[in-house]
Amino acid sequence: MATASTSSNSAPSGATASQPFPEVTLPLTAIKDALESDVLCGRGGAAQRHPGNQHYRNLVSTNKPYYTTCPKPEKLKISRSIVATIRETNGRFLERGIDGLFYDIGDKKAVEKTSQALREGQPKMRKKIQAIQNHQAASVSASSATASASASAAGHRTSLDLSVAASNTTSAGTSADGGAATANQEDEEEEEDIIGDINDIDPNVEAAAAGFRSPLLEGSKASAVPQ
């Protein structure tokens, strides 16, 4: 029996000669028995149970979510890619003729059939996708709320800790005031003694000595001695 290539069939809109469908080397007309790689067009239990139809339905089902949400120019590419996948395994899209034999419907009708199959159940698919997106958004929102509550609680504990620390510091400061005053007085007296000793040794350093400040009085940082 003669064989034919699917490239002789009319290509769907947008197809070019540089993007032909894979060549099928099996007969495309007057076919007595369908192969497992073939897709049987039409309804009925035989078509539903046929291995080629099951493979085809899996391809359609897998691509439905993307087909539902993708831009219109991409939809045709998806339909063509599914048809090309069937053709790559020497699969044919067969329809039974009035003589009881099968005939391949051609690439154009195969793409149209695939696009129709992809469109079936789209409203339900959109609702399903929307439900998934809403669930994901709710999960993100709940996670953010939990993180915010944790941060707020941590901030509250920090405020309490700071308040306690401030209270302890105030108490300790009050207790240390008398001792600090006594220490400051002793430092001042020692400082006066040092200045007096310097004046006794060299009267010319009086101006420099007047600019001296003890590190204790300056909080660990002494003032520079004027030159």
Side-chain angles (χ1 to χ4, degrees):
M1 186 176 294
T3 62
S5 169
T6 56
S7 60
S8 62
N9 297 317
S10 300
S13 175
T16 64
S18 61
Q19 297 174 323
F21 286 98
E23 182 178 350
V24 176
T25 59
L26 297 173
L28 299 177
T29 60
I31 303 163
K32 182 178 180 180
D33 297 314
L35 301 179
E36 290 188 353
S37 58
D38 294 330
V39 177
L40 304 183
C41 301
R43 302 182 181 277
Q48 294 294 320
R49 292 189 301 269
H50 190 71
N53 287 59
Q54 294 176 2
H55 176 51
Y56 174 74
R57 285 198 302 272
N58 286 336
L59 291 173
V60 171
S61 178
T62 300
N63 285 277
K64 266 190 177 183
Y66 180 63
Y67 185 89
T68 302
T69 58
C70 73
K72 188 174 181 179
E74 296 295 319
K75 295 183 185 296
L76 179 59
K77 293 180 181 179
I78 296 174
S79 300
R80 286 176 57 82
S81 68
I82 292 175
V83 173
T85 299
I86 298 297
R87 296 299 195 193
E88 284 174 354
T89 58
N90 249 353
R92 300 165 293 186
F93 290 83
L94 303 180
E95 189 174 61
R96 193 181 294 276
I98 56 175
D99 57 0
L101 300 177
F102 290 107
Y103 295 82
D104 190 285
I105 65 175
D107 292 330
K108 181 177 180 179
K109 287 186 176 180
V111 171
E112 292 174 352
K113 168 184 171 65
T114 302
S115 294
Q116 181 180 357
L118 287 165
R119 287 194 299 269
E120 289 178 356
Q122 274 203 32
K124 184 182 293 185
M125 178 62 67
R126 288 194 186 96
K127 289 181 179 179
K128 184 177 181 179
I129 293 174
Q130 187 62 50
I132 293 173
Q133 291 174 342
N134 291 341
H135 177 71
Q136 291 174 339
S139 297
V140 171
S141 196
S143 298
S144 299
T146 301
S148 179
S150 298
S152 178
H156 180 64
R157 288 194 298 270
T158 301
S159 298
L160 290 177
D161 293 341
L162 290 175
S163 297
V164 172
S167 176
N168 293 338
T169 301
T170 301
S171 299
T174 302
S175 301
D177 282 345
T182 302
N184 289 340
Q185 184 177 358
E186 293 176 353
D187 290 337
E188 290 176 359
E189 292 175 353
E190 183 178 359
E191 191 174 308
E192 291 176 357
D193 291 339
I194 294 173
I195 294 174
D197 292 339
I198 292 175
N199 287 334
D200 291 340
I201 297 173
D202 187 356
N204 293 326
V205 299
E206 182 176 1
F212 174 84
R213 290 293 183 271
S214 169
L216 292 176
L217 300 178
E218 292 293 332
S220 80
K221 182 177 181 181
S223 298
V225 176
Q227 300 298 320

